[in-house]
Amino acid sequence: MFTLFLYSTAFILLAVSWKRSREKTRAALRKAWGSCLGVLPLFLGILLCMGLLLAFVDESVIRQTVGRESGFLGVVLSGIIGSVTLIPAFAAYPAAAELLRVTGGYAQITMLITSLMLVGVATLPLECRFFGVRAAV
């Protein structure tokens, strides 16, 4: 129901925008389509990797490694995996939802998502260059 509300609101606001300025709305839609096409390969690649991981690695292995049964060691391992992996948020959340469905480990997946979104090993050099070493650390 909430999804229907969001789509309806977006459609209504798009219609209002179209009525006010067709040129600006058309330009915004073109820009949005370009952004979508730019993000699509990365998103599909990550979903493909998740699909391959779930297809070739037994669910019991994933559960023992980063699932509810893994305990504190699984939380630490999830933090390490998240800190060395570079996945954008729009792809990390669906992947985490699928891992949560498989593993049921809320603490482990929370740590994974948190460490993915924070500065990690993969992004530290970039963060240091833009924000300085002190701010990045």
Side-chain angles (χ1 to χ4, degrees), residues 42-54 62 66 81 85-105 108-110 112-113 116-117:
L42 181 61
F43 187 66
L44 290 176
I46 290 171
L47 289 180
L48 178 69
C49 288
M50 281 301 300
L52 290 173
L53 172 75
L54 293 173
I62 297 173
V66 293
I81 291 169
T85 308
L86 181 60
I87 300 176
F90 67 85
Y93 292 131
E98 184 62 23
L99 280 173
L100 187 60
R101 185 192 65 77
V102 170
T103 66
Q108 291 81 358
I109 302 305
T110 301
L112 178 70
I113 288 295
L116 278 171
M117 297 302 117

Short mmCIF file of all heavy atoms in Angstrom, two decimals, residues 42-54 62 66 81 85-105 108-110 112-113 116-117:
data_model
loop_
_atom_site.label_atom_id
_atom_site.label_comp_id
_atom_site.label_asym_id
_atom_site.label_seq_id
_atom_site.Cartn_x
_atom_site.Cartn_y
_atom_site.Cartn_z
N LEU A 42 26.49 -1.16 -12.89
CA LEU A 42 27.03 -1.45 -11.57
C LEU A 42 26.01 -2.23 -10.74
O LEU A 42 26.34 -3.23 -10.08
CB LEU A 42 27.40 -0.15 -10.87
CG LEU A 42 28.00 -0.26 -9.48
CD1 LEU A 42 29.31 -1.03 -9.53
CD2 LEU A 42 28.23 1.12 -8.91
N PHE A 43 24.77 -1.80 -10.78
CA PHE A 43 23.71 -2.46 -10.03
C PHE A 43 23.53 -3.90 -10.49
O PHE A 43 23.44 -4.83 -9.69
CB PHE A 43 22.41 -1.67 -10.19
CG PHE A 43 21.29 -2.16 -9.33
CD1 PHE A 43 21.35 -2.07 -7.96
CD2 PHE A 43 20.16 -2.71 -9.91
CE1 PHE A 43 20.31 -2.52 -7.16
CE2 PHE A 43 19.12 -3.17 -9.13
CZ PHE A 43 19.19 -3.08 -7.75
N LEU A 44 23.49 -4.11 -11.80
CA LEU A 44 23.33 -5.46 -12.33
C LEU A 44 24.53 -6.34 -12.00
O LEU A 44 24.38 -7.53 -11.72
CB LEU A 44 23.10 -5.41 -13.84
CG LEU A 44 21.75 -4.83 -14.28
CD1 LEU A 44 21.68 -4.75 -15.80
CD2 LEU A 44 20.60 -5.63 -13.73
N GLY A 45 25.73 -5.76 -12.03
CA GLY A 45 26.93 -6.52 -11.67
C GLY A 45 26.90 -7.01 -10.24
O GLY A 45 27.24 -8.17 -9.95
N ILE A 46 26.48 -6.15 -9.34
CA ILE A 46 26.41 -6.53 -7.93
C ILE A 46 25.33 -7.58 -7.71
O ILE A 46 25.52 -8.55 -6.98
CB ILE A 46 26.20 -5.29 -7.05
CG1 ILE A 46 27.49 -4.45 -7.08
CG2 ILE A 46 25.84 -5.66 -5.63
CD1 ILE A 46 27.39 -3.11 -6.46
N LEU A 47 24.18 -7.40 -8.37
CA LEU A 47 23.13 -8.41 -8.25
C LEU A 47 23.57 -9.75 -8.84
O LEU A 47 23.24 -10.81 -8.30
CB LEU A 47 21.86 -7.92 -8.91
CG LEU A 47 21.13 -6.78 -8.20
CD1 LEU A 47 19.88 -6.39 -8.96
CD2 LEU A 47 20.79 -7.16 -6.78
N LEU A 48 24.33 -9.71 -9.92
CA LEU A 48 24.86 -10.93 -10.50
C LEU A 48 25.82 -11.62 -9.53
O LEU A 48 25.76 -12.84 -9.34
CB LEU A 48 25.56 -10.63 -11.83
CG LEU A 48 26.21 -11.81 -12.53
CD1 LEU A 48 25.13 -12.77 -13.04
CD2 LEU A 48 27.08 -11.34 -13.67
N CYS A 49 26.70 -10.84 -8.91
CA CYS A 49 27.63 -11.41 -7.94
C CYS A 49 26.89 -12.03 -6.76
O CYS A 49 27.25 -13.11 -6.29
CB CYS A 49 28.60 -10.34 -7.44
SG CYS A 49 29.82 -9.85 -8.65
N MET A 50 25.85 -11.34 -6.27
CA MET A 50 25.06 -11.89 -5.17
C MET A 50 24.37 -13.19 -5.59
O MET A 50 24.32 -14.16 -4.83
CB MET A 50 24.01 -10.88 -4.70
CG MET A 50 24.55 -9.79 -3.82
SD MET A 50 25.31 -10.41 -2.33
CE MET A 50 23.97 -11.26 -1.56
N GLY A 51 23.84 -13.19 -6.80
CA GLY A 51 23.19 -14.40 -7.30
C GLY A 51 24.15 -15.56 -7.42
O GLY A 51 23.83 -16.70 -7.04
N LEU A 52 25.35 -15.28 -7.93
CA LEU A 52 26.36 -16.34 -8.05
C LEU A 52 26.80 -16.83 -6.68
O LEU A 52 26.99 -18.04 -6.47
CB LEU A 52 27.56 -15.83 -8.85
CG LEU A 52 27.31 -15.62 -10.34
CD1 LEU A 52 28.52 -14.95 -10.99
CD2 LEU A 52 26.98 -16.93 -11.03
N LEU A 53 26.97 -15.90 -5.73
CA LEU A 53 27.36 -16.29 -4.38
C LEU A 53 26.31 -17.21 -3.77
O LEU A 53 26.64 -18.26 -3.22
CB LEU A 53 27.54 -15.05 -3.50
CG LEU A 53 27.77 -15.31 -2.02
CD1 LEU A 53 29.18 -15.79 -1.79
CD2 LEU A 53 27.48 -14.08 -1.20
N LEU A 54 25.05 -16.82 -3.90
CA LEU A 54 23.98 -17.64 -3.31
C LEU A 54 23.77 -18.94 -4.07
O LEU A 54 23.27 -19.91 -3.50
CB LEU A 54 22.69 -16.83 -3.24
CG LEU A 54 22.73 -15.64 -2.27
CD1 LEU A 54 21.47 -14.81 -2.40
CD2 LEU A 54 22.93 -16.12 -0.84
N ILE A 62 27.09 -19.83 4.51
CA ILE A 62 26.86 -18.39 4.71
C ILE A 62 26.30 -18.16 6.11
O ILE A 62 26.72 -17.23 6.81
CB ILE A 62 25.90 -17.85 3.63
CG1 ILE A 62 26.53 -17.98 2.25
CG2 ILE A 62 25.56 -16.39 3.91
CD1 ILE A 62 25.62 -17.64 1.11
N VAL A 66 28.39 -15.58 8.46
CA VAL A 66 27.85 -14.26 8.80
C VAL A 66 26.38 -14.33 9.21
O VAL A 66 25.68 -13.33 9.15
CB VAL A 66 28.03 -13.24 7.65
CG1 VAL A 66 29.48 -12.92 7.42
CG2 VAL A 66 27.36 -13.72 6.39
N ILE A 81 34.58 -7.56 6.16
CA ILE A 81 34.12 -7.68 4.77
C ILE A 81 33.59 -6.34 4.27
O ILE A 81 33.91 -5.89 3.17
CB ILE A 81 33.06 -8.79 4.63
CG1 ILE A 81 33.69 -10.15 4.86
CG2 ILE A 81 32.39 -8.73 3.26
CD1 ILE A 81 32.68 -11.28 5.00
N THR A 85 35.15 -3.80 1.11
CA THR A 85 34.31 -3.91 -0.07
C THR A 85 33.78 -2.54 -0.44
O THR A 85 33.42 -1.75 0.42
CB THR A 85 33.12 -4.85 0.20
OG1 THR A 85 33.62 -6.08 0.71
CG2 THR A 85 32.34 -5.13 -1.06
N LEU A 86 33.71 -2.27 -1.73
CA LEU A 86 33.19 -0.99 -2.20
C LEU A 86 31.91 -1.25 -2.98
O LEU A 86 31.93 -1.70 -4.12
CB LEU A 86 34.24 -0.30 -3.10
CG LEU A 86 33.85 1.06 -3.65
CD1 LEU A 86 33.58 2.03 -2.51
CD2 LEU A 86 34.95 1.60 -4.54
N ILE A 87 30.78 -1.03 -2.32
CA ILE A 87 29.47 -1.22 -2.94
C ILE A 87 28.65 0.02 -2.64
O ILE A 87 28.54 0.42 -1.47
CB ILE A 87 28.75 -2.47 -2.38
CG1 ILE A 87 29.55 -3.73 -2.65
CG2 ILE A 87 27.36 -2.59 -2.99
CD1 ILE A 87 28.94 -4.98 -2.04
N PRO A 88 28.05 0.63 -3.65
CA PRO A 88 27.20 1.80 -3.37
C PRO A 88 25.92 1.40 -2.64
O PRO A 88 25.47 0.25 -2.72
CB PRO A 88 26.88 2.35 -4.77
CG PRO A 88 27.15 1.24 -5.70
CD PRO A 88 28.17 0.35 -5.07
N ALA A 89 25.33 2.36 -1.94
CA ALA A 89 24.18 2.09 -1.09
C ALA A 89 23.00 1.51 -1.86
O ALA A 89 22.32 0.61 -1.38
CB ALA A 89 23.76 3.37 -0.37
N PHE A 90 22.76 2.02 -3.07
CA PHE A 90 21.60 1.55 -3.82
C PHE A 90 21.69 0.08 -4.18
O PHE A 90 20.68 -0.57 -4.42
CB PHE A 90 21.38 2.38 -5.09
CG PHE A 90 22.46 2.22 -6.11
CD1 PHE A 90 22.42 1.18 -7.03
CD2 PHE A 90 23.51 3.11 -6.16
CE1 PHE A 90 23.42 1.03 -7.96
CE2 PHE A 90 24.51 2.97 -7.09
CZ PHE A 90 24.46 1.93 -8.00
N ALA A 91 22.89 -0.48 -4.19
CA ALA A 91 23.05 -1.90 -4.47
C ALA A 91 23.28 -2.69 -3.18
O ALA A 91 22.98 -3.89 -3.13
CB ALA A 91 24.21 -2.12 -5.43
N ALA A 92 23.80 -2.04 -2.15
CA ALA A 92 24.10 -2.74 -0.91
C ALA A 92 22.83 -3.14 -0.16
O ALA A 92 22.76 -4.22 0.42
CB ALA A 92 24.97 -1.88 -0.01
N TYR A 93 21.82 -2.29 -0.20
CA TYR A 93 20.61 -2.59 0.56
C TYR A 93 19.86 -3.81 0.02
O TYR A 93 19.44 -4.66 0.81
CB TYR A 93 19.70 -1.36 0.64
CG TYR A 93 20.31 -0.26 1.49
CD1 TYR A 93 20.37 1.04 1.04
CD2 TYR A 93 20.84 -0.54 2.75
CE1 TYR A 93 20.93 2.04 1.82
CE2 TYR A 93 21.41 0.45 3.53
CZ TYR A 93 21.44 1.74 3.06
OH TYR A 93 21.99 2.72 3.83
N PRO A 94 19.65 -3.93 -1.30
CA PRO A 94 19.02 -5.17 -1.77
C PRO A 94 19.86 -6.42 -1.49
O PRO A 94 19.33 -7.48 -1.16
CB PRO A 94 18.86 -4.96 -3.28
CG PRO A 94 18.92 -3.50 -3.49
CD PRO A 94 19.79 -2.97 -2.39
N ALA A 95 21.17 -6.28 -1.61
CA ALA A 95 22.05 -7.42 -1.31
C ALA A 95 21.94 -7.80 0.17
O ALA A 95 21.88 -8.98 0.52
CB ALA A 95 23.49 -7.08 -1.67
N ALA A 96 21.90 -6.79 1.04
CA ALA A 96 21.76 -7.06 2.47
C ALA A 96 20.41 -7.69 2.79
O ALA A 96 20.32 -8.57 3.65
CB ALA A 96 21.94 -5.77 3.27
N ALA A 97 19.37 -7.25 2.09
CA ALA A 97 18.05 -7.85 2.32
C ALA A 97 18.06 -9.33 1.95
O ALA A 97 17.49 -10.16 2.67
CB ALA A 97 17.00 -7.10 1.51
N GLU A 98 18.73 -9.67 0.88
CA GLU A 98 18.80 -11.07 0.48
C GLU A 98 19.65 -11.87 1.47
O GLU A 98 19.29 -13.00 1.84
CB GLU A 98 19.38 -11.18 -0.93
CG GLU A 98 19.41 -12.57 -1.48
CD GLU A 98 18.03 -13.20 -1.63
OE1 GLU A 98 17.03 -12.48 -1.72
OE2 GLU A 98 17.97 -14.45 -1.63
N LEU A 99 20.76 -11.31 1.91
CA LEU A 99 21.58 -11.99 2.92
C LEU A 99 20.82 -12.15 4.23
O LEU A 99 20.92 -13.19 4.89
CB LEU A 99 22.88 -11.21 3.17
CG LEU A 99 23.99 -11.41 2.16
CD1 LEU A 99 25.14 -10.46 2.44
CD2 LEU A 99 24.48 -12.85 2.18
N LEU A 100 20.05 -11.16 4.60
CA LEU A 100 19.25 -11.25 5.82
C LEU A 100 18.20 -12.35 5.69
O LEU A 100 17.94 -13.10 6.64
CB LEU A 100 18.59 -9.91 6.11
CG LEU A 100 17.86 -9.80 7.44
CD1 LEU A 100 18.81 -10.06 8.60
CD2 LEU A 100 17.22 -8.44 7.57
N ARG A 101 17.61 -12.47 4.51
CA ARG A 101 16.63 -13.53 4.28
C ARG A 101 17.28 -14.91 4.43
O ARG A 101 16.71 -15.82 5.02
CB ARG A 101 16.02 -13.40 2.88
CG ARG A 101 14.91 -14.41 2.62
CD ARG A 101 14.53 -14.46 1.16
NE ARG A 101 15.60 -14.94 0.30
CZ ARG A 101 15.96 -16.22 0.15
NH1 ARG A 101 15.34 -17.15 0.84
NH2 ARG A 101 16.93 -16.57 -0.67
N VAL A 102 18.50 -15.03 3.94
CA VAL A 102 19.20 -16.31 3.98
C VAL A 102 19.75 -16.61 5.38
O VAL A 102 19.62 -17.72 5.88
CB VAL A 102 20.35 -16.33 2.95
CG1 VAL A 102 21.24 -17.53 3.13
CG2 VAL A 102 19.79 -16.28 1.54
N THR A 103 20.35 -15.60 6.02
CA THR A 103 21.08 -15.86 7.27
C THR A 103 20.27 -15.59 8.53
O THR A 103 20.45 -16.27 9.52
CB THR A 103 22.35 -15.00 7.34
OG1 THR A 103 21.97 -13.62 7.41
CG2 THR A 103 23.24 -15.23 6.15
N GLY A 104 19.43 -14.58 8.50
CA GLY A 104 18.67 -14.23 9.69
C GLY A 104 19.50 -13.55 10.76
O GLY A 104 19.02 -13.34 11.87
N GLY A 105 20.73 -13.18 10.45
CA GLY A 105 21.59 -12.54 11.43
C GLY A 105 21.51 -11.03 11.36
O GLY A 105 22.23 -10.39 10.58
N GLN A 108 24.84 -9.17 12.34
CA GLN A 108 25.89 -9.33 11.34
C GLN A 108 25.61 -8.48 10.10
O GLN A 108 26.51 -7.81 9.57
CB GLN A 108 26.02 -10.81 10.95
CG GLN A 108 26.57 -11.69 12.05
CD GLN A 108 25.53 -12.11 13.09
OE1 GLN A 108 24.37 -11.72 13.04
NE2 GLN A 108 25.96 -12.90 14.05
N ILE A 109 24.38 -8.50 9.62
CA ILE A 109 24.06 -7.74 8.42
C ILE A 109 24.06 -6.24 8.72
O ILE A 109 24.46 -5.43 7.88
CB ILE A 109 22.69 -8.19 7.84
CG1 ILE A 109 22.73 -9.69 7.52
CG2 ILE A 109 22.34 -7.39 6.60
CD1 ILE A 109 23.85 -10.13 6.60
N THR A 110 23.67 -5.86 9.93
CA THR A 110 23.76 -4.45 10.32
C THR A 110 25.20 -3.98 10.31
O THR A 110 25.51 -2.89 9.82
CB THR A 110 23.13 -4.24 11.72
OG1 THR A 110 21.77 -4.65 11.68
CG2 THR A 110 23.23 -2.79 12.14
N LEU A 112 27.61 -5.29 8.54
CA LEU A 112 28.03 -5.29 7.14
C LEU A 112 27.61 -3.99 6.46
O LEU A 112 28.43 -3.32 5.82
CB LEU A 112 27.45 -6.49 6.41
CG LEU A 112 27.77 -6.58 4.92
CD1 LEU A 112 29.25 -6.90 4.72
CD2 LEU A 112 26.91 -7.63 4.25
N ILE A 113 26.35 -3.61 6.59
CA ILE A 113 25.84 -2.40 5.95
C ILE A 113 26.52 -1.16 6.53
O ILE A 113 26.89 -0.24 5.80
CB ILE A 113 24.31 -2.31 6.10
CG1 ILE A 113 23.65 -3.34 5.22
CG2 ILE A 113 23.79 -0.93 5.77
CD1 ILE A 113 23.86 -3.09 3.75
N LEU A 116 29.99 -0.95 5.23
CA LEU A 116 29.97 -0.63 3.81
C LEU A 116 29.80 0.87 3.57
O LEU A 116 30.40 1.45 2.67
CB LEU A 116 28.84 -1.37 3.09
CG LEU A 116 29.07 -2.81 2.68
CD1 LEU A 116 27.77 -3.43 2.19
CD2 LEU A 116 30.13 -2.90 1.60
N MET A 117 28.95 1.50 4.39
CA MET A 117 28.64 2.91 4.19
C MET A 117 29.71 3.84 4.78
O MET A 117 29.80 4.99 4.38
CB MET A 117 27.29 3.26 4.82
CG MET A 117 26.11 2.54 4.21
SD MET A 117 25.97 2.84 2.45
CE MET A 117 26.22 1.21 1.80
#
